[in-house]
């Protein structure tokens, strides 16, 4: 009689027992059959991480198997950057897109940073280059440059301070005060720039970049969902156009939206953002019904469990940043990280009231 070879990917009783607490979180999203395929990979990845002194930083847009199964730190861009700087693992596997991995490398150049798929880009990061920023600075001398963290290391190196969706208003106001100006360049997301401009008296100079996921939403999406579900609470990411933000009940970073859902007591929620957000928040918000629409980010979806496993086993793909630009890029990111947590209440409701405020577009 032939005996079946035991592969490291078998759904053994040991794997089943070790991964049972994870399945508890995923069971509304993953069928028992799918779980028999996912659980052994999760088990192996978690074992490899310990052996290799590696951590996985998983963005809120990772699929639930990654987010709940293997992520050591999960969160928004700001949270992941903070963690890259302070974690003491030797290897960081970025569960996210390339600019996030570069940010980790900038903040922790002595660590090995791996990304499971080099094609995991971002439409905002590819909308602007370091050379573009140099020209912008010539055109607007003395005006501070704030760049969204969704940019390449080259762009960060030309920047005075970075921001994320969690702190953009605070960073813009800080930069204006430090430089003693009433104008700030905020690039490359034109919609984030317009949404910030409606929450501050600082004049904003913007670039015509956009997130390919969030720019596709419009206010009609919200009107339709409100007509069908009048009690639903609508949350939108600040990369959405201003009319979408104005029609929503709350806007904030991916982590801020998740926190709002778990604390709000809302029963029906619409997350105007990437689809995995609601799948991941479900585990912490039992009883909340998440309604569509949502859009998938094709770049984030390049990161898979199998890719993470291969990344650890084959030590691929190592993310490098030119050592000559690291100090300047690190200064811009570190300035942002060092800002105190914001104490001013969110001003997103001003986006509704100040629809007349616009930005100066760099042409
Ligand atoms: P957060 O910083 O809010 O996590 O957003 C990152 C991102 O890429 C959203 O599209
Ligand atoms: Fe970039 Fe948009 Fe994808 Fe975020 S969701 S990584 S901003 S393309």
């Amino acid at each position: 009689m032939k005996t079946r070879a035991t592969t490291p990917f078998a759904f053994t009783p040991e794997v089943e027992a070790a991964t049972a607490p994870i399945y508890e979180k995923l069971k509304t999203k993953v069928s028992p059959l799918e779980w028999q395929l996912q659980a052994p990979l999760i088990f192996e990845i978690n074992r490899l991480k310990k052996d290799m002194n590696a951590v996985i930083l998983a963005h809120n847009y990772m699929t639930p198997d990654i987010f709940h199964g293997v992520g050591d730190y999960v969160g928004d861009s700001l949270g992941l950057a903070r963690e890259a700087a302070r974690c003491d693992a030797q290897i960081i596997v970025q569960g996210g897109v390339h600019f996030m991995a570069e940010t980790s490398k900038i903040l922790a150049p002595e660590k090995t940073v791996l990304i499971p798929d080099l094609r995991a880009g971002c439409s905002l990061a590819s909308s602007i280059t370091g050379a573009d920023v140099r020209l912008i600075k010539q055109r607007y001398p003395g005006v501070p440059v704030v760049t969204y963290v969704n940019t390449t290391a080259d762009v960060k190196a030309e920047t005075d301070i970075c921001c994320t969706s969690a702190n953009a208003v605070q960073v813009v106001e800080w930069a204006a005060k430090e430089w003693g100006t009433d104008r700030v360049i905020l690039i490359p997301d034109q919609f984030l720039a317009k949404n910030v401009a409606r929450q501050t008296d600082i004049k904003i100079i913007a670039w015509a970049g956009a997130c390919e996921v969030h720019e596709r939403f419009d206010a009609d999406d919200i009107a339709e969902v409100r007509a069908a579900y009048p009690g639903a609470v609508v949350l939108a990411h600040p990369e959405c156009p201003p009319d979408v933000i104005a029609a929503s009940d709350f806007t904030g970073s991916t982590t801020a939206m998740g926190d709002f859902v778990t604390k709000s007591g809302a029963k029906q929620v619409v997350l105007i953002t990437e689809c995995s957000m609601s799948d991941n928040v479900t585990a912490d918000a039992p009883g909340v019904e998440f309604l569509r629409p949502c859009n998938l980010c094709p770049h984030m979806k390049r990161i898979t469990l199998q890719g993470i496993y291969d990344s650890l086993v084959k030590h691929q793909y190592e993310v490098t940043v030119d050592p000559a630009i690291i100090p300047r890029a690190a200064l811009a990111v570190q300035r942002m990280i060092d800002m105190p947590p914001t104490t001013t209440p969110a001003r997103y409701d001003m986006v509704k009231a100040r629809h007349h405020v616009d930005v100066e577009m760099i042409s």
Side-chain angles (χ1 to χ4, degrees), residues 61 97 99 121-124 150 211-214 239 274 297 299-300:
Y61 292 165
V97 292
F99 77 80
C122 169
S123 65
L124 280 168
N150 298 38
C211 161
E212 66 188 85
V213 173
H214 292 95
E239 290 166 10
E274 215 275 345
C297 172
H299 310 290
M300 291 280 184

Side-chain angles (χ1 to χ4, degrees), residues 59 61 76-77 100 148 150 165 214 237 239 253-254:
H59 186 260
Y61 292 165
D76 60 12
S77 310
M100 294 177 176
Y148 198 31
N150 298 38
S165 61
H214 292 95
H237 193 273
E239 290 166 10
S253 78
T254 51

